[in-house]
Amino acid sequence: MIDLTRWEPASPNEVAERLSAVESPWWIAGGYAIEFAVGAPFREHADIDVLLLRRDQLAAQLALPGWEWWAAEPPGTLRPWAAGEILPPAVHDIWCRPSADAPWRIQFMLDEAEDADWVSRRDPRIRRPVADIGLINPDGLPYLAPEVQLLYKAKGARPKDERDFAAMQPKLDAAQRQWLREAMTLAYGEHPWKDRLTV
């Protein structure tokens, strides 16, 4: 039985060190991305998410040689990810740990891209240049732009997602608010966050 709860997430700085040789783009995502955009930590993190473009997925294996890599097959089953295997489109998450008896350390998320554009898996009409989906924090770490991260968090709106939105909403500028409102309309139709994003 695989223990899905045993996490000792790598710090963002450790992630950056381990991915230092990766030439393809990557971004710290999830709650850490929101904290970077807010400018201060405000909650605990049970894991750490790193976004890769699907076309660059094997960079995760190259960055973590000797580690175990597990693919999350819908509806939520983990299975070993073989070296060099190209994952099917339905797989969006990869869990990584140094060994079988070690806790999980890093989770990679795979997003779509076409040529120079990032394409949201929530709705392929939602896209923007890959160069425009991330920012750099004061320590030089790349992270997912908050409006893009909030688009993903809006789907489930778990308590931690609500907390992230509440912390980030006052700091979004007019362009970010407009983009997020339009993207949520395409992806979800009506959403309770939209009324709190008046431009």
Side-chain angles (χ1 to χ4, degrees):
M1 179 69 74
I2 300 173
D3 187 351
L4 303 181
T5 65
R6 190 171 170 232
W7 271 88
E8 284 183 16
S11 69
N13 286 330
E14 180 185 344
V15 169
E17 182 178 344
R18 293 192 178 279
L19 300 186
S20 61
V22 173
E23 296 181 359
S24 50
W26 59 270
W27 303 267
I28 300 289
Y32 277 108
I34 299 300
E35 281 193 347
F36 288 163
V38 168
F42 59 87
R43 69 170 175 85
E44 297 292 321
H45 300 277
D47 59 11
I48 188 165
D49 301 319
V50 179
L51 181 69
L52 282 174
L53 300 178
R54 180 173 298 280
R55 64 191 180 198
D56 301 322
Q57 61 186 268
L58 294 180
Q61 295 186 350
L62 295 175
L64 303 173
W67 281 41
E68 287 195 347
W69 320 300
W70 291 70
E73 292 271 14
T77 301
L78 284 182
R79 55 97 168 164
W81 181 28
E85 175 192 0
I86 301 301
L87 294 169
V91 173
H92 303 294
D93 296 289
I94 303 159
W95 291 31
C96 303
R97 60 186 178 183
S99 64
D101 59 352
W104 303 105
R105 301 297 314 285
I106 300 173
Q107 179 176 350
F108 289 95
M109 301 183 305
L110 303 179
D111 253 3
E112 311 308 321
E114 289 182 8
D115 300 320
D117 286 343
W118 161 83
V119 180
S120 172
R121 67 175 184 264
R122 294 286 186 256
D123 188 306
R125 295 173 294 176
I126 303 169
R127 54 183 65 210
R128 63 198 288 183
V130 169
D132 292 344
I133 68 165
L135 301 168
I136 304 292
N137 83 347
D139 293 328
L141 301 181
Y143 66 97
L144 195 59
E147 66 272 25
V148 177
Q149 184 60 70
L150 289 173
L151 173 66
Y152 284 109
K153 285 179 166 290
K155 181 179 181 181
R158 302 160 295 183
K160 67 179 181 179
D161 301 324
E162 293 285 356
R163 188 171 180 191
D164 288 349
F165 177 76
M168 190 67 231
Q169 184 268 339
K171 295 182 175 290
L172 293 169
D173 64 26
Q176 290 171 317
R177 289 167 182 266
Q178 180 176 349
W179 185 91
L180 183 54
R181 281 178 59 86
E182 292 174 355
M184 285 197 301
T185 298
L186 288 173
Y188 312 123
E190 292 306 312
H191 193 283
W193 288 359
K194 287 169 59 177
D195 290 340
R196 297 160 64 187
L197 289 168
T198 54
V199 178

